[in-house]
Amino acid sequence: MGLMRLSSGRRRAFGADDRRSNIYSMNSIPLAFTRTLLLAALLLVSFTVLAAQVPTASAPAPSVAGDTPLHKSYPPDVVQAGASLFQQKCSFCHGRDASGGESGPDLTRSKLVTGDVDGDKIGPMVRNGRPEKGMPPFNFSDQQIAGLMAFIHTQQNKALLNKGQRKGVDASDLQTGNVSAGKQYFNGTGGCSSCHSPTGDLAGIASRYEGLKLEERMLYPEDAKSRVAVTLASGQTITGTLAYLDEFTVALIDSTGAYRSWRTSDVKYKVDAPVNAHVELFSKYTDADIHNLMAFLQTLR
């Protein structure tokens, strides 16, 4: 199987004497169908959801499943002030309800928010920002920080209490497998090691991707590059990254970066499409296979 740099992926040699068959082999998995298969594979994943009782302002914050504590409740006017500020300054990235947006994470499932006490973590984060993650610093007053904290805490409480209402998937939801079993699958039944190496192309992959992003790349790395070998009438063979292919034209980018193309009627060619190895596994994966393989991949940091 392939995940990242897949130029050395599992070979799928197509018969040079049957170009039409070769063309259909490359296009036998339409994009919509592969996405459907990917969705079906992702549905194998089981998710852990938290639940509990709503705390009162005067009572200590109880815990929900998994010993995740609920925050105390806040005066409605403070929460509303924080909600207004959040929607003005934060909702574009984190969503209007703090459950995640286009580029910002879901704050209702943030470990930082869970561990925040009276703004001791949210305040510095907001004021310092996270430039490396694209979050700018905000020069908010103590009162504004208090409002933001109250709103975000309140939203996290709601998320923990609303069983089955979650909009996304936490990385922790995908950390339920067995590492040893996953490694065995990687080196054995899955055939992953025929294309990949934990100390080579996969080194540090869990630091670059996490949670659902990592699982999506494991199941279907849609940006995987196919290789092609074109044999000219003279007998010369030219190899490179497949750039274009239809019934009439085959093109590649060669080792010098040059784009070269030929009429399919004038040449013979073989295509190596490593992503096909992933698609073939869709019907073979069990729920345990996916969880265990994910557990192993998440150790590659």
Side-chain angles (χ1 to χ4, degrees):
M1 60 180 283
L3 282 172
M4 294 291 291
R5 287 170 287 188
L6 298 170
S7 61
S8 62
R10 185 178 299 175
R11 297 294 172 186
R12 294 287 181 275
F14 300 96
D17 59 343
D18 188 350
R19 288 187 293 273
R20 181 175 297 275
S21 175
N22 190 15
I23 292 167
Y24 289 141
S25 294
M26 279 298 297
N27 297 285
S28 62
I29 308 170
L31 180 59
F33 181 58
T34 54
R35 291 187 184 280
T36 300
L37 289 176
L38 174 58
L39 177 59
L42 287 173
L43 288 176
L44 292 173
V45 182
S46 300
F47 304 124
T48 304
V49 182
L50 305 175
Q53 296 182 344
V54 179
T56 63
S58 58
S63 295
V64 294
D67 294 325
T68 301
L70 290 171
H71 298 285
K72 65 183 180 182
S73 59
Y74 299 89
D77 58 329
V78 176
V79 175
Q80 184 55 51
S84 298
L85 181 61
F86 188 92
Q87 289 166 13
Q88 293 172 26
K89 302 294 185 180
C90 314
S91 62
F92 180 80
C93 294
H94 295 287
R96 292 179 62 84
D97 59 359
S99 64
E102 289 296 322
S103 59
D106 183 349
L107 298 181
T108 67
R109 291 179 284 152
S110 164
K111 292 181 180 179
L112 182 143
V113 172
T114 299
D116 182 80
V117 177
D118 295 330
D120 66 333
K121 293 180 176 59
I122 291 176
M125 175 64 71
V126 170
R127 286 173 171 151
N128 297 327
R130 296 189 69 183
E132 75 282 2
K133 298 290 187 180
M135 176 181 170
F138 293 92
N139 187 25
F140 291 156
S141 67
D142 289 345
Q143 184 177 3
Q144 289 174 312
I145 292 294
L148 279 178
M149 173 199 67
F151 171 71
I152 296 171
H153 283 186
T154 299
Q155 292 304 109
Q156 186 175 68
N157 284 350
K158 290 179 180 179
L160 293 174
L161 294 167
N162 290 335
K163 184 176 182 179
Q165 300 298 310
R166 288 170 52 180
K167 297 181 179 180
V169 179
D170 268 334
S172 59
D173 294 328
L174 306 177
Q175 295 174 343
T176 60
N178 181 284
V179 174
S180 296
K183 183 176 182 179
Q184 183 176 0
Y185 183 87
F186 182 92
N187 292 317
T189 306
C192 313
S193 60
S194 64
C195 301
H196 301 288
S197 168
T199 57
D201 63 316
L202 299 185
I205 191 171
S207 297
R208 298 190 297 275
Y209 302 93
E210 66 175 14
L212 195 58
K213 290 293 184 182
L214 178 59
E215 182 163 278
E216 287 173 347
R217 293 195 68 81
M218 177 188 80
L219 294 173
Y220 187 76
E222 59 184 350
D223 58 349
K225 301 296 184 182
S226 296
R227 300 281 298 176
V228 62
V230 178
T231 302
L232 309 183
S234 65
Q236 179 187 6
T237 298
I238 302 170
T239 61
T241 301
L242 182 66
Y244 183 80
L245 178 64
D246 63 16
E247 288 192 70
F248 309 103
T249 305
V250 58
L252 58 76
I253 304 296
D254 67 18
S255 59
T256 68
Y259 179 93
R260 306 180 66 175
S261 65
W262 301 265
R263 291 186 301 180
T264 55
S265 59
D266 296 336
V267 298
K268 296 180 179 180
Y269 57 89
K270 294 181 180 180
V271 176
D272 170 14
V275 72
N276 288 351
H278 289 258
V279 175
E280 291 171 2
L281 284 172
F282 285 176
S283 61
K284 302 176 183 179
Y285 280 129
T286 65
D287 183 71
D289 290 337
I290 293 178
H291 282 289
N292 294 338
L293 187 55
M294 274 293 295
F296 172 62
L297 292 177
Q298 289 177 99
T299 67
L300 306 181
R301 297 187 177 276

